[in-house]
């Protein structure tokens, strides 16, 4: 059975940049956009053109430089938003306007102070206007995660009739459980007339830590595009992390779902975004964190030294990371100490290693980590003792 292609829609430059303190200038956005294209991203959401002159200029410049990926501009279901987005995307080889409106009861009643009928009419008008400028129109039903499925299906049908090519089903508040979100996608796939003409897309937030799980549940149930960001950056608790969903699909081939992402560039891209956004990646971050392939427990170290796959389901080089790291702490065993000693040129017999290990533990109890410099000093100390 051939793999089905999952489109990767990266919104680091739009949703990710909305994080307080992560504002990027035009040149920084161009650098990241160029890297995203090298990475193999299918769609780059370059910004929200109407939001500021600077963002308009950045979207315009990204549209001009990008040759392989689709370049997308966000808009609300507002005429001026759509016209400005269309203008910013004029130089794009593959332009897409992303427009939409809130569809949950909460958004309709309290944010929009409107009705379902009025929201439906605005959605249709927005898609039709966007379609008059570009062929590729993505419609988002904001807060779809908390929207009644029957009404959501009717909105989706109306958007398809109006010319939408992609339907974005966001779990805007990160509320859904994976089973709920997957069921919502499945319901739309089975109940929306014309759904075969468009691409269903996931857009999940991480407020309860389920963005990746929800996105995967979405594609298992029929979505064929995942909206995500590098390092999971995004408002509040962040968005679905690109590197996570890509590697989940890659490591589970029986799903027969895959992407076009050049995975050895993941670590490099992660580091670039973290640097330019001044947003450090937590050490225990999945796939690209500093500790993602590090081992300090003696039991784990012994297993990894004997056969890496005993504790690592990914090869670090597949995501652009260095080799697995054996970190020496008070929890490390003799196998790890012997391994690291060999790496720096020492080969102890069992008796000598036992003596060195006792000294090592005393040192490791005094400091968090024992590094190569400490090991050289330890060896010199043991040799002096043995000589005496």
């Amino acid at each position: 059975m051939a793999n089905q292609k999952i489109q990767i829609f990266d919104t680091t430059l739009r949703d990710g940049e909305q994080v307080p303190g992560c504002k990027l200038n035009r040149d920084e956005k161009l650098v990241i956009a160029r890297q995203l294209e090298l990475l193999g991203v299918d769609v780059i959401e370059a910004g929200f053109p109407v939001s500021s002159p600077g963002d308009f200029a950045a979207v315009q410049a990204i549209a001009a430089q990008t040759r392989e990926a689709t370049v997308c501009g966000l808009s609300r279901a507002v005429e001026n938003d759509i016209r400005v987005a269309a203008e910013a995307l004029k130089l794009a080889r593959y332009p897409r306007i992303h427009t939409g409106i809130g569809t949950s009861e909460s958004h309709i009643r309290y944010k929009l102070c409107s009705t379902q009928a009025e929201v439906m009419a605005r959605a249709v008008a927005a898609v039709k206007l966007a379609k008059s400028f570009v062929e590729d129109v993505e419609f988002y039903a904001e807060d779809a995660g908390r929207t009644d499925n029957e009404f959501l299906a009717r909105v989706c049908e109306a958007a398809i009739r109006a010319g939408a090519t992609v339907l974005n089903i966001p779990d805007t508040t990160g509320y859904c459980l994976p089973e709920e979100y997957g069921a919502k996608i499945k319901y739309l796939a089975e109940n929306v007339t014309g759904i075969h003409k468009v691409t269903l897309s996931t857009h999940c937030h991480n407020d309860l830590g389920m963005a990746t799980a929800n996105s995967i549940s979405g594609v298992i149930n029929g979505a064929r595009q995942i909206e995500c960001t590098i390092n999971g950056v995004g408002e509040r608790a962040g968005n679905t992390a690109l590197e996570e969903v890509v590697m989940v699909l890659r490591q589970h081939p029986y799903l027969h779902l895959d992407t076009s992402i050049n995975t050895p560039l993941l670590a490099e891209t992660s580091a670039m975004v973290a640097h330019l956004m001044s947003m450090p990646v937590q050490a225990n971050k999945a796939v690209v964190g500093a500790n993602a392939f590090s081992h300090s427990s003696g039991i784990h170290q012994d297993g990894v030294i004997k056969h890496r796959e005993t504790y690592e389901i990914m090869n670090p080089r597949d995501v652009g990371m260095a080799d697995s790291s054996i970190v020496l702490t008070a929890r490390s065993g003799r196998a790890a100490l012997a391994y690291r000693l060999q790496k720096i040129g020492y080969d102890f017999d069992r008796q000598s290693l036992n003596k060195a290990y006792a000294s090592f533990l005393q040192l490791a109890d005094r400091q968090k980590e024992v590094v190569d410099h400490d090991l050289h000093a330890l060896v010199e100390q043991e040799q002096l003792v043995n000589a005496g």
Side-chain angles (χ1 to χ4, degrees):
M1 181 177 177
N3 285 345
Q4 294 190 50
K5 168 76 180 292
I6 301 298
Q7 301 276 320
I8 293 297
F9 176 115
D10 184 276
T11 184
T12 302
L13 300 178
R14 199 278 299 172
D15 208 335
E17 199 219 14
Q18 293 174 186
V19 177
C22 287
K23 180 75 175 70
L24 299 167
N25 61 37
R26 173 184 172 278
D27 290 343
E28 290 168 335
K29 280 196 165 192
L30 282 168
V31 168
I32 292 176
R34 192 174 295 116
Q35 181 70 16
L36 292 175
E37 191 166 28
L38 288 173
L39 183 63
V41 163
D42 299 287
V43 184
I44 299 171
E45 187 163 51
F48 185 9
V50 81
S51 64
S52 74
D55 214 39
F56 178 93
V59 174
Q60 192 174 50
I62 291 168
Q65 84 166 12
T66 304
R67 297 292 87 194
E68 300 301 325
T70 294
V71 178
C72 179
L74 183 75
S75 74
R76 297 164 296 182
V78 174
E79 181 178 345
N80 188 54
D81 280 28
I82 296 167
R83 292 187 182 279
V84 171
E87 183 65 27
L89 293 167
K90 269 188 174 180
L91 296 177
R93 186 178 183 185
Y94 305 111
R96 176 184 295 181
I97 293 177
H98 190 190
T99 189
I101 193 168
T103 54
S104 68
E105 183 180 354
S106 173
H107 278 227
I108 293 171
R109 179 181 297 183
Y110 300 112
K111 189 178 93 166
L112 300 171
C113 301
S114 187
T115 66
Q116 286 188 346
E118 290 173 350
V119 162
M120 184 90 74
R122 286 184 61 184
V124 168
V127 172
K128 284 184 176 179
L129 180 59
K131 193 74 172 181
S132 71
F133 294 107
V134 296
E135 180 58 34
D136 191 4
V137 176
E138 179 167 344
F139 172 77
Y140 65 84
E142 189 177 10
D143 204 21
R146 296 189 296 173
T147 298
D148 171 73
N149 283 351
E150 190 276 332
F151 176 62
L152 182 60
R154 288 196 285 122
V155 174
C156 287
E157 284 184 358
I160 293 171
R161 288 194 299 269
T165 52
V166 181
L167 297 178
N168 177 12
I169 312 300
D171 183 26
T172 305
T173 60
Y175 176 76
C176 288
L177 293 171
E179 293 82 1
E180 293 173 322
Y181 188 76
K184 187 176 288 285
I185 295 294
K186 189 172 188 289
Y187 178 88
L188 296 175
E190 293 177 349
N191 292 279
V192 172
T193 302
I195 198 73
H196 63 283
K197 301 175 183 177
V198 301
T199 300
L200 273 172
S201 180
T202 71
H203 182 113
C204 300
H205 282 259
N206 207 38
D207 298 71
L208 292 173
M210 294 187 289
T212 293
N214 282 340
S215 297
I216 296 300
S217 183
V219 295
I220 287 173
N221 283 280
R224 287 297 174 264
Q225 176 177 280
I226 296 176
E227 304 191 8
C228 46
T229 62
I230 301 298
N231 299 333
V233 293
E235 290 188 280
R236 306 184 312 279
N239 288 19
T240 301
L242 181 150
E243 59 277 1
E244 293 177 12
V245 291
V246 166
M247 293 312 295
V248 167
L249 297 180
R250 193 64 54 87
Q251 295 303 120
H252 292 81
Y254 62 87
L255 294 175
H256 299 290
L257 303 171
D258 204 359
T259 72
S260 296
I261 295 300
N262 183 13
T263 62
L265 292 181
L266 285 172
E268 175 186 315
T269 309
S270 167
M272 173 188 288
V273 170
H275 171 69
L276 292 176
M277 285 189 161
S278 300
M279 191 76 163
V281 177
Q282 66 193 59
N284 65 328
K285 168 75 176 64
V287 182
V288 292
N291 290 346
F293 299 95
S294 295
H295 307 271
S296 65
S297 161
I299 295 172
H300 287 218
Q301 290 172 330
D302 183 55
V304 168
I305 290 168
K306 290 173 178 172
H307 186 67
R308 182 184 57 78
E309 293 180 4
T310 55
Y311 285 100
E312 288 184 357
I313 60 168
M314 294 175 281
N315 187 326
R317 295 187 180 186
D318 287 346
V319 299
M321 300 286 276
D323 288 334
S324 308
S325 175
I326 300 298
V327 180
L328 295 181
T329 71
R331 306 286 81 79
S332 298
R334 288 172 178 77
L337 177 61
Y339 175 83
R340 283 284 297 277
L341 285 170
Q342 286 178 338
K343 287 288 186 182
I344 60 174
Y346 303 107
D347 191 5
F348 282 22
D349 59 32
R350 182 180 293 273
Q351 184 177 359
S352 299
L353 179 64
N354 285 339
K355 290 181 180 179
Y357 184 65
S359 300
F360 160 76
L361 286 180
Q362 292 178 6
L363 177 61
D365 273 334
R366 294 196 301 268
Q367 58 192 59
K368 289 183 179 181
E369 182 180 341
V370 177
V371 298
D372 288 351
H373 172 77
D374 300 316
L375 292 179
H376 284 297
L378 183 68
V379 169
E380 290 177 7
Q381 174 187 313
E382 287 301 310
Q383 288 176 338
L384 287 174
V385 170
N386 291 337

